Amino acid sequence: MKLSIIVPIYNVAPYLRKCVDSLITQDISDYEIILVDDGSPDECPQICDEYVEKYDSIRVVHQENAGLSAARNSGINVAMGDYILFVDSDDYLQPNILGTLMEQAERDNLDVLRFRYQNVKESGEAFAPYKDMTNYNDYSVTATDGLTFLNERMSTQCYAWQFVVKAEIVRQELFTPGIYFEDTDWTPRMLLRAKHVASTDLVVYNYLWREGSITLSQKDLAKMRKQLDDKIAILGRLNEWGNAVPDRRWFDGMISGLVINIVGIIASTFYQERKQYIKQIKALNILPITTYHIAPRAQRKVKLINLSINFAVWLLHIKS
């Protein structure tokens, strides 16, 4: 079998049918769709069963709620395809696009193939939410190794659903359960195992911006604290992986972006606890941070943090 498409599902009943319909109408036949019902409390389990009864190419895994990473891992455990593609259950693919992707992946014997995506509103309208951000992605079709791909062609965007990946690599690098930003944790690990990585300029994936998604509410302090703790933990992991490769530019750029984000969260939400968080960051020995792949508007924050992270947190707190 050429391709396994893994769809983790939780509380997305209004969007699930559009997602699955975009998968069953593709221009390839030798593929399977694995729906992973992660203990969804709405009508999603029933919707999954309806599709399984109707289509031989669709399978379903019902499990107790364990989070996005665990749901993806459950799909990986039963996948039969040579390649794996992840699709989030509120997003959807462009029509008749997978045939072109798989043709390139197989023709060039790629371990990983990256494609473009677009942000869409619930109306289906495509839009650019971050117009002021510099795009560092290089969508060259020429294959290179994973580390070179990270350093020369990859931005700080680390979405797992933006890649078609050989199953043997995915099985060696499962998702870390129980953390936010699991894609940032998984993507570099996956790419470092790859010897042949390339891109296509085709827009394949539609990423839906909606209320109530996994993006955290600013009012949920417990989740925001977990988010902050996970980001600091990922900082440490990125630093370790960077130390293990001969060229760590991408890892340094990712670290810079995360530190900027973390400093902003501390300043705006956890200012009273700033000392303990700043102490954790300093203990990682990642300062000073770099401007590699950092948008021009954010480079001033890099300079400020490198001057004094304590002062940077205070200044941003005053401004907020």
Side-chain angles (χ1 to χ4, degrees), residues 9 33-37 45 48-49 52 58-62:
I9 297 165
I33 301 167
I34 302 171
L35 306 177
V36 184
D37 162 35
C48 291
D49 291 339
V52 170
I58 300 180
R59 292 189 285 155
V60 63
V61 176
H62 294 292

Side-chain angles (χ1 to χ4, degrees), residues 27-257:
D27 56 350
I28 61 173
S29 57
D30 191 15
Y31 75 116
E32 64 176 356
I33 301 167
I34 302 171
L35 306 177
V36 184
D37 162 35
D38 189 36
S40 187
D42 58 1
E43 298 83 18
C44 285
Q46 292 77 23
I47 295 173
C48 291
D49 291 339
E50 290 173 12
Y51 275 99
V52 170
E53 291 180 8
K54 191 173 181 180
Y55 297 95
D56 293 336
S57 60
I58 300 180
R59 292 189 285 155
V60 63
V61 176
H62 294 292
Q63 66 181 38
E64 293 185 5
N65 180 247
L68 177 58
S69 290
R72 285 175 174 168
N73 289 343
S74 294
I76 293 167
N77 289 338
V78 300
M80 300 173 62
D82 299 320
Y83 287 87
I84 288 177
L85 168 66
F86 299 102
V87 176
D88 284 356
S89 49
D90 49 355
D91 302 333
Y92 55 96
L93 301 187
Q94 294 286 84
N96 297 321
I97 200 75
L98 290 183
T100 302
L101 285 187
M102 295 311 301
E103 180 182 354
Q104 181 180 346
E106 293 184 308
R107 181 191 67 228
D108 298 338
N109 190 28
L110 298 177
D111 296 320
V112 182
L113 175 60
R114 179 185 58 170
F115 46 80
R116 285 188 180 272
Y117 72 95
Q118 61 184 2
N119 298 287
V120 294
K121 300 177 181 179
E122 295 198 31
S123 64
E125 175 189 357
F127 74 111
Y130 304 121
K131 294 180 181 179
D132 60 338
M133 291 184 65
T134 305
N135 186 351
Y136 292 102
N137 286 307
D138 176 353
Y139 284 90
S140 171
V141 299
T142 305
T144 186
D145 64 274
L147 180 59
T148 302
F149 185 88
L150 279 169
N151 286 320
E152 302 294 342
R153 302 182 185 179
M154 185 80 175
S155 75
T156 56
Q157 296 168 333
C158 294
Y159 304 120
W161 41 254
Q162 205 182 354
F163 304 91
V164 172
V165 188
K166 275 191 175 178
E168 60 192 71
I169 291 179
V170 176
R171 292 191 182 99
Q172 293 177 81
E173 295 295 347
L174 298 176
F175 291 85
T176 303
I179 65 169
Y180 289 111
F181 316 108
E182 61 286 318
D183 289 8
T184 302
D185 172 84
W186 178 81
T187 300
R189 290 191 282 116
M190 176 272 292
L191 285 170
L192 287 178
R193 287 195 177 270
K195 294 180 173 60
H196 299 95
V197 186
S199 299
T200 174
D201 203 39
L202 290 173
V203 175
V204 173
Y205 195 97
N206 294 289
Y207 176 76
L208 180 66
W209 282 62
R210 66 179 180 89
E211 294 293 329
S213 69
I214 199 169
T215 304
L216 301 177
S217 167
Q218 292 294 313
K219 296 180 180 179
D220 194 332
L221 287 180
K223 287 186 177 181
M224 289 193 71
R225 190 182 304 280
K226 175 71 164 71
Q227 179 189 59
L228 181 56
D229 291 340
D230 286 352
K231 284 186 175 182
I232 293 175
I234 289 174
L235 275 181
R237 301 186 73 171
L238 289 170
N239 193 41
E240 290 177 7
W241 298 329
N243 287 335
V245 297
D247 184 348
R248 57 173 290 153
R249 286 175 295 162
W250 182 85
F251 291 94
D252 287 337
M254 279 297 299
I255 287 170
S256 294

Side-chain angles (χ1 to χ4, degrees), residues 263 266-267 271 274 278 309-318:
V263 165
I266 295 171
Y271 187 71
R274 64 191 182 281
I278 292 173
I309 188 171
N310 299 73
F311 179 71
V313 169
W314 174 82
L315 184 62
L316 290 174
H317 176 70
I318 294 300

